[in-house]
Amino acid sequence: MTEELKNNNEILLSIRGLEVNFHTYRGIIQAVRSVSFDIKKGETLALVGESGCGKSVTAHAINQLIPMPPGKIDKGEIFFEGKDLLKLSEKEIRAYRGDKISMIFQEPMTSLNPVFKIGKQIADVFMTHHKISKKEAWDRAVRLLELVKIPSPASRANSYPHQLSGGMRQRAMIAMALASPEPGLMIADEPTTALDVTIQAQILRLLAELKAEIEMSVLLITHDMGVVAETADRVVVMYAGRKVEEAEVHDLFEHPGHPYTLGLLNSLPSNEKYKGQTRLEAITGQVPDLLTIGLWCPFENRCKYAKDICRKEFPEKTEVEPGHSIWCHQVGKLD
Amino acid sequence: MSEQLLDTESIEPIEKEPGRFREALHQLKKNKGAIAGLIIIAIFLFIAVFAPVIAPHDPLSQNIELRKSAPFTEGFLLGSDDLGRDLLSRIIYGGRISMIIGVVSVGIALVFGILIGVISGYYGGWLDKIIMRLIDIMLAFPYVLLTIVIVAMLGPSLTNAMIAIGISQIPRYVRMVRASVLAEKEADYVVAERSLGASNFELMFRSILPNCLAPISVQASLGVGEAILSSAALSFLGLGAQPPTPEWGLMIASSREFITSAWWIVTFPGIATLLAVLGFNLFGDGLRDMLDPKLRD
């Protein structure tokens, strides 16, 4: 496996059989269960699912930001440029954080340190990873602010976070995440969730433009199918810690194969079938408790296609066409 | 496309923000108590620095013939003590000692308090438990008693009094810093900075600590006043400064028997102590109001 990955120059990041559990007083919470996927160089992969489905935990496992304890990566391998990140020491992984793997967060309002100027915060990231002078780091910070299209970047660098609007702060966050010579992987953890819709579009467009400009791959974590349609190349759908479907973005929207994906798409307000209708369709039922979840298909209790087999075991992968895989016992039997 | 982006954002006005110093000054102006405190502190600091220039006499030179002179007699503005030393000069030099005591002992308490508090709050776990139980033990002793015990172990002297006061003040800083760090370390910006490659040390002292400085600076200001008071108390008990050092507490102690015959010898050092402590307390209280965002405009 390792050899194969090393020789494959196309793939930047490869997650294999990742299992993350939280060992709490109440028991073991199985947050991520045998999730595998690859991200190619220059690709945007969207990780989709509802709150608590393990998408953020998966992303945080990559650069090991999961609070340990109680969190624990019990199984799996995460290869980045052919190196298993999970085998690295804290000091070694730190060299990756912010250099080759950087992150932007959901809450631009609180993700910047309130007591420092944003220019200084960006310059600090440079100085963590490179031996350069304060002056040079500051100049680079200003150039980054310009890159993320903050008007009059030289004077904005002297602003404190509370002096910026939400959209501006998210731009500053993105600038911080770009503070490496060539970011290999940018993990965007719900980058637009806290922003209003117009700013959302601007930020997504900015990310797309930056991706074209800088050679980088993006792991986009979101629960917003609209965002997925707009930005992603490929999509991995997660549900209750399991990967349930993976497809190219067009395939997913045109031929969704998993009942859960189908439900997600059906509940989009922009769906054609809602023309003239006022009520939205929701997926009934509730997400199973990750503490007591069994080994069978986690969606079984909310799935209208569920049969006996669904309550017995987790389905094998079915590849309906190249690059489009579904983990469901009822593939092809929906409607 | 990008032109349009710029246009929409540039609507937002980029006002010139007033500098931090100007803003602090503005907040200060609204707070009369803090200004009074600051003025008192400034006067005492000035006196402490320029003591040799201001003092009319040598604080140590005795003149037995002119002993216990009343204020405004024999060229003594505030009178003389039982050995004929000029009271005003002794109080001025005493101010110097009190300021040093205040700053040094609070400095000791701050350095150790912050260091231990940040580590305890940041790492948590068994290390935190051990540290907090030790702090609980220190807090179980009354403050003055703890100070006296430490001085008694080190031996009575001014330096040891400063060390003792400093050590006795450590627990309050540890607890306060730990509490602030506990609240701050879960903040999103800490995770964000960790994700960008910051080490534990950088996170503790460069990201989190600056966000905890507001309560610390208030406590430090109040602590200086208390340290001055404690050192006066220790000297009064004979455990601090030793004669003939012109220390306020010592001056009060050595002249208390004359309170009926020569009231000024014991009164003026007392007033000086009161004013200095009042100054630091007023400033500390004002600082707390200034740093509280809810009380700002």
Side-chain angles (χ1 to χ4, degrees):
Chain A
M1 178 65 81
T2 320
E3 279 309 304
E4 178 196 324
L5 285 166
K6 268 185 186 155
N7 297 335
N8 193 340
N9 290 325
E10 281 284 285
I11 291 171
L12 180 72
L13 179 92
S14 175
I15 296 183
R16 290 276 160 264
L18 183 70
E19 298 213 352
V20 184
N21 296 317
F22 287 86
H23 298 258
T24 68
Y25 175 71
R26 284 169 56 219
I28 296 171
I29 295 170
Q30 304 169 27
V32 176
R33 289 187 291 165
S34 52
V35 165
S36 310
F37 58 82
D38 299 330
I39 300 178
K40 298 195 192 86
K41 281 186 180 150
E43 178 185 52
T44 299
L45 179 81
L47 210 51
V48 189
E50 60 196 89
S51 306
C53 73
K55 55 191 194 301
S56 283
V57 174
T58 306
H60 285 231
I62 295 172
N63 52 9
Q64 283 153 60
L65 286 175
I66 296 171
M68 299 190 239
K72 197 158 173 258
I73 300 172
D74 281 327
K75 244 189 216 164
E77 292 155 314
I78 299 177
F79 292 101
F80 184 82
E81 293 178 332
K83 223 180 187 151
D84 190 351
L85 296 181
L86 297 181
K87 290 209 176 80
L88 299 181
S89 69
E90 169 68 19
K91 206 177 161 195
E92 286 167 314
I93 190 78
R94 210 165 65 219
Y96 278 86
R97 290 185 194 145
D99 194 27
K100 285 191 166 144
I101 304 173
S102 48
M103 250 182 136
I104 47 180
F105 289 87
Q106 184 172 0
E107 282 294 338
M109 309 313 270
T110 53
S111 295
L112 291 165
N113 195 328
V115 298
F116 296 117
K117 294 171 177 169
I118 56 166
K120 180 183 158 31
Q121 294 192 45
I122 300 170
D124 275 351
V125 182
F126 277 121
M127 285 160 65
T128 307
H129 295 286
H130 308 280
K131 285 199 170 67
I132 54 173
S133 70
K134 261 189 181 163
K135 172 91 181 52
E136 201 187 334
W138 182 272
D139 288 344
R140 286 204 199 176
V142 171
R143 253 180 282 152
L144 271 183
L145 289 175
E146 197 177 354
L147 187 68
V148 296
K149 302 208 170 62
I150 285 184
S152 47
S155 67
R156 269 304 175 206
N158 278 307
S159 299
Y160 289 93
H162 72 269
Q163 295 168 330
L164 301 179
S165 66
M168 293 277 249
R169 280 187 224 188
Q170 194 58 293
R171 280 161 199 259
M173 277 294 300
I174 294 173
M176 263 174 97
L178 290 174
S180 45
E182 45 198 296
L185 176 67
M186 161 102 80
I187 301 171
D189 191 352
E190 310 223 14
T192 58
T193 307
L195 305 172
D196 60 57
V197 185
T198 48
I199 308 295
Q200 224 176 67
Q202 288 178 11
I203 295 290
L204 289 176
R205 212 176 298 148
L206 173 68
L207 274 177
E209 282 177 31
L210 287 174
K211 223 189 65 153
E213 208 161 313
I214 309 163
E215 173 101 10
M216 66 172 182
S217 308
V218 177
L219 175 60
L220 179 75
I221 299 161
T222 182
H223 57 249
D224 187 337
M225 278 301 199
V227 171
V228 173
E230 215 167 309
T231 46
D233 299 319
R234 221 147 41 85
V235 187
V236 167
V237 183
M238 282 184 73
Y239 182 79
R242 296 268 199 193
K243 175 173 151 185
V244 295
E245 184 161 6
E246 175 177 354
E248 302 284 322
V249 68
H250 293 290
D251 281 349
L252 190 88
F253 278 84
E254 274 164 38
H255 319 288
H258 195 279
Y260 178 61
T261 318
L262 207 60
L264 281 181
L265 293 173
N266 269 340
S267 48
L268 276 182
S270 57
N271 196 311
E272 281 171 17
K273 69 176 187 180
Y274 289 126
K275 281 213 176 98
Q277 224 176 309
T278 49
R279 283 190 72 86
L280 294 183
E281 208 173 284
I283 304 174
T284 54
Q286 280 196 343
V287 190
D289 188 354
L290 294 178
L291 204 57
T292 54
I293 195 161
L295 287 171
W296 53 90
C297 174
F299 193 57
E300 148 280 315
N301 60 336
R302 304 172 75 182
C303 181
K304 53 184 169 187
Y305 310 100
K307 300 264 161 34
D308 280 348
I309 178 100
C310 298
R311 289 174 194 104
K312 285 205 183 93
E313 57 192 55
F314 190 74
E316 292 290 313
K317 163 175 160 178
T318 317
E319 197 159 1
V320 287
E321 48 192 297
H324 187 171
S325 311
I326 300 160
W327 283 258
C328 179
H329 289 296
Q330 312 300 330
V331 178
K333 296 177 202 159
L334 316 182
D335 285 17
Chain B
M1 191 68 84
S2 52
E3 302 301 297
Q4 194 194 344
L5 274 177
L6 275 173
D7 279 350
T8 48
E9 282 284 350
S10 61
I11 296 168
E12 190 180 334
I14 303 170
E15 80 267 37
K16 190 91 184 95
E17 295 282 343
R20 275 188 150 183
F21 182 73
R22 294 265 303 277
E23 169 148 11
L25 211 64
H26 169 73
Q27 297 294 336
L28 189 68
K29 271 185 197 154
K30 290 191 307 179
N31 199 317
K32 300 280 185 300
I35 292 181
L38 198 61
I39 290 171
I40 294 173
I41 294 171
I43 291 172
F44 273 98
L45 278 180
F46 180 81
I47 290 173
V49 171
F50 295 103
V53 186
I54 301 167
H57 296 275
D58 181 348
L60 298 179
S61 78
Q62 306 178 2
N63 191 339
I64 302 297
E65 279 163 32
L66 297 177
R67 65 194 228 267
K68 292 204 249 175
S69 313
F72 299 111
T73 59
E74 314 290 350
F76 297 129
L77 216 52
L78 296 179
S80 68
D81 68 3
D82 54 318
L83 293 172
R85 295 172 294 199
D86 178 35
L87 211 51
L88 179 63
S89 303
R90 287 180 68 75
I91 288 174
I92 288 172
Y93 273 90
R96 197 176 229 193
I97 292 170
S98 288
M99 289 297 138
I100 293 172
I101 290 170
V103 172
V104 171
S105 44
V106 168
I108 292 171
L110 270 181
V111 168
F112 288 99
I114 289 177
L115 205 67
I116 299 170
V118 168
I119 290 171
S120 182
Y122 184 82
Y123 285 110
W126 59 269
L127 186 69
D128 178 46
K129 284 202 180 81
I130 290 173
I131 290 174
M132 288 326 285
R133 291 303 77 77
L134 290 176
I135 294 297
D136 282 346
I137 292 172
M138 284 180 83
L139 283 171
F141 291 97
Y143 172 71
V144 177
L145 185 65
L146 182 63
T147 319
I148 291 172
V149 167
I150 298 170
V151 177
M153 287 194 301
L154 297 174
S157 83
L158 200 58
T159 320
N160 290 344
M162 287 193 264
I163 295 172
I165 295 166
I167 293 175
S168 311
Q169 287 201 358
I170 289 176
R172 64 184 73 172
Y173 291 104
V174 172
R175 296 198 79 143
M176 195 173 54
V177 172
R178 173 180 173 272
S180 308
V181 170
L182 279 181
E184 288 293 333
K185 78 168 179 179
E186 303 296 336
D188 289 341
Y189 68 84
V190 179
V191 186
E193 277 171 46
R194 186 195 293 279
S195 83
L196 294 171
S199 63
N200 282 332
F201 182 82
E202 286 170 316
L203 287 173
M204 278 191 279
F205 294 102
R206 256 188 31 206
S207 314
I208 299 177
L209 184 60
N211 281 290
C212 305
L213 283 183
I216 297 173
S217 52
V218 172
Q219 183 62 52
S221 174
L222 297 171
V224 172
E226 196 175 337
I228 291 173
L229 213 54
S230 310
S231 86
L234 283 181
S235 300
F236 185 88
L237 295 172
L239 293 168
Q242 299 301 316
T245 317
E247 207 274 343
W248 294 342
L250 183 63
M251 286 161 75
I252 297 171
S254 58
S255 57
R256 68 184 188 281
E257 60 209 77
F258 311 120
I259 192 158
T260 46
S261 58
W263 57 268
W264 56 90
I265 308 178
V266 64
T267 307
F268 289 123
I271 292 176
T273 312
L274 178 121
L275 278 178
V277 175
L278 182 72
F280 279 103
N281 282 359
L282 280 176
F283 182 66
D285 279 340
L287 203 59
R288 174 161 46 211
D289 293 347
M290 274 163 58
L291 294 173
D292 186 347
K294 274 170 278 176
L295 297 174
R296 280 193 198 171
D297 54 49

